[in-house]
Amino acid sequence: MRVAIIGATGSIGTQALDVASEHPERFTVVALAAGSESERFSTLRSAHPHAHAITGGSREDLVALIEASAPDLVLVASTGLVALPATLAALRGGAAVAIANKETIVAGGELVIAAAREAAARVGTSVLERLRPVDSEHSALWQCLAGEDPASVATLWLTASGGPFRERGAAEIAMATAEEALAHPTWTMGAKITIDSASLVNKGLEVIEAHRLFAVPMAQIHIAIHPQSVVHGLVEFTGGSTKAQLGVPDMRSPIAYAMGYPERMATRVRSVNLLERGTLSFDAPDLVRFPGLRLALEAGTRGQAATGTLIAADDVAVTRFLAGEMRFGGIPALIEAALTQFAHAASPRDAADVLALDEEVRTFARGWRPSAALARGTHA
Ligand code: NDP
Ligand code: MG
């Protein structure tokens, strides 16, 4: 199978290459893309001398890369929306897409799902075989849904570790700094998603992702705070039965499931040892202490213009927070301001609309000023 990896040097990209290298008889890496020239990227170039390799590519460059390399499978593991047109091009060109990049599904999901649906009808497979979730919770739900009748699905549950601020008070969370927010208790990930996990915005994005990928209404998708990160997702079916997926927190497992589907490939990830794990706990999320989660869930019920606004505002907010321009509470404050400002934005009809809204929201978010309390004590 010919594989293209967009975001090859990142946390997910690196682990995907690790999975591919364990199955050299199965995968040939035909394209590699990263944001910048780095030592890691030049090592990858040497390891895959026949692959098309680009850095700092534009949206159009990434489309050209997919067209030139003719992959069977594209792993989308970049950040932001740079790979949205390439994702659509891959699906339309007949490749399966393993999607880690949640920005694409949250901002442009309806378009991507429509492209996946058409592709699935063309080749006679399921939508999820064409557009394969990589995110651990969505992989869990996909695994629970395998072989089930969609009409018998009552409720989806996603778990969240709760992040480093799980037990802190609202005021303390609002005043937190980047260093505190970057200390994730269970997963090692890129900086953006680590901050989103601390604010629980990530979980809101994931509920939206699940809503789009599995075509289940927002109101039927629930969150459980589960600090051990062992159960990743659950599906309740008609008749009172619930299925859950368990695994140690290691992304190589969901990456391998997406890359090998429908086969379960061997990985170096070990199974959960329930006897060693001991107690597993589950709690309801607190939408008051984590206003970013409340805002994300509200945006999810309002459609693609609101979810596109959410993801662009959050991205700029996280960048400004990491740059020390504001305290942690500035993130939900900025998201709320953007959702109000763009409350009447028209729903995007194509990729150009999605990207235009994204740019408008980013411009607004870069100019937004935090309150004095949220800016205080930072080095702005
Ligand atoms: P990282 O920040 O670790 O990696 C991002 C990757 O994208 C890097 O390889 C980066 O290259 C590359 N990139 C940046 N710009 C471009 C471009 N123009 N063309 C091609 N590649 C580019 O992020 P993560 O791996 O953590 O996350 C990737 C995506 O997966 C995100 O959307 C995230 O939400 C999602 N995700 C991540 C999880 C995780 O465990 N990490 C779990 C679930 C989802 P360079 O290094 O040169 O800048
Ligand atoms: Mg996740």
Side-chain angles (χ1 to χ4, degrees), residues 3 53 90 162 252 287 317:
V3 184
R252 286 175 305 175
L287 300 184

Side-chain angles (χ1 to χ4, degrees), residues 102 135-137 202-203 206:
K102 51 190 82 184
D135 207 343
S136 55
E137 297 77 2
N202 182 54
K203 212 46 57 177
E206 291 185 351

Side-chain angles (χ1 to χ4, degrees), residues 100-171:
N101 175 269
K102 51 190 82 184
E103 293 90 325
T104 294
I105 299 292
V106 172
E110 289 163 17
L111 300 167
V112 176
I113 301 292
R117 210 170 278 141
E118 278 166 31
R122 238 178 10 245
V123 291
T125 58
S126 65
V127 178
L128 292 168
E129 187 279 328
R130 290 287 91 187
L131 185 65
R132 308 175 182 184
V134 169
D135 207 343
S136 55
E137 297 77 2
H138 305 81
S139 178
L141 295 170
W142 182 25
Q143 293 178 53
C144 291
L145 289 164
E148 300 287 353
D149 176 359
S152 68
V153 173
T155 304
L156 307 182
W157 286 85
L158 286 83
T159 60
S161 73
F165 302 145
R166 185 168 55 89
E167 293 185 324
R168 304 235 188 133

Side-chain angles (χ1 to χ4, degrees), residues 2-326:
R2 298 167 61 83
V3 184
I5 302 191
I6 303 179
T9 54
S11 164
I12 294 288
T14 301
Q15 296 178 84
L17 282 159
D18 195 29
V19 169
S21 71
E22 283 180 55
H23 300 275
E25 72 302 337
R26 182 163 186 151
F27 299 111
T28 307
V29 176
V30 296
L32 293 162
S36 52
E37 283 300 328
S38 59
E39 217 173 293
R40 167 94 191 125
F41 198 75
S42 57
T43 308
L44 289 179
R45 272 187 208 271
S46 321
H48 305 281
H50 302 296
H52 296 252
I54 62 166
T55 55
S58 65
R59 296 188 286 254
E60 295 72 28
D61 294 337
L62 293 174
V63 171
L65 177 76
I66 296 306
E67 286 170 355
S69 57
D72 303 304
L73 176 69
V74 180
L75 176 82
V76 184
S78 44
T79 43
L81 286 177
V82 70
L84 171 63
T87 302
L88 293 169
L91 290 167
R92 288 172 187 151
V97 171
I99 187 113
N101 175 269
K102 51 190 82 184
E103 293 90 325
T104 294
I105 299 292
V106 172
E110 289 163 17
L111 300 167
V112 176
I113 301 292
R117 210 170 278 141
E118 278 166 31
R122 238 178 10 245
V123 291
T125 58
S126 65
V127 178
L128 292 168
E129 187 279 328
R130 290 287 91 187
L131 185 65
R132 308 175 182 184
V134 169
D135 207 343
S136 55
E137 297 77 2
H138 305 81
S139 178
L141 295 170
W142 182 25
Q143 293 178 53
C144 291
L145 289 164
E148 300 287 353
D149 176 359
S152 68
V153 173
T155 304
L156 307 182
W157 286 85
L158 286 83
T159 60
S161 73
F165 302 145
R166 185 168 55 89
E167 293 185 324
R168 304 235 188 133
E172 199 189 341
I173 296 173
M175 294 311 282
T177 62
E179 200 188 337
E180 296 169 283
L182 282 171
H184 197 277
T186 48
W187 295 92
T188 308
M189 309 175 286
K192 162 71 169 48
I193 183 171
T194 302
I195 300 302
D196 282 344
S197 301
S199 66
L200 296 194
V201 167
N202 182 54
K203 212 46 57 177
L205 300 178
E206 291 185 351
V207 171
I208 296 166
E209 235 185 315
H211 161 61
R212 300 251 164 82
L213 286 168
F214 306 115
V216 170
M218 287 290 290
Q220 281 164 245
I221 308 176
H222 302 314
I223 298 166
I225 303 294
H226 169 49
Q228 298 83 16
S229 298
V230 168
V231 178
H232 303 299
L234 309 94
V235 179
E236 281 176 28
F237 297 95
T238 314
S241 183
T242 300
K243 274 164 99 175
Q245 188 268 344
L246 284 70
V248 297
D250 187 324
M251 287 304 296
R252 286 175 305 175
S253 177
I255 290 169
Y257 187 75
M259 290 178 72
Y261 184 84
E263 197 182 306
R264 287 188 185 273
M265 299 189 296
T267 69
R268 282 192 292 236
V269 182
R270 55 188 210 295
S271 300
V272 174
N273 183 330
L274 282 177
L275 301 180
E276 270 174 21
R277 282 305 321 189
T279 308
L280 300 180
S281 62
F282 302 90
D283 279 300
D286 185 338
L287 300 184
V288 176
R289 286 189 303 128
F290 296 97
L293 174 57
R294 173 180 57 79
L295 292 164
L297 294 175
E298 284 169 13
T301 62
R302 282 169 42 193
Q304 195 163 262
T307 56
T309 302
L310 164 75
I311 199 109
D314 176 57
D315 194 33
V316 174
V318 170
T319 302
R320 293 184 61 180
F321 169 67
L322 287 173
E325 287 179 40
M326 58 193 195

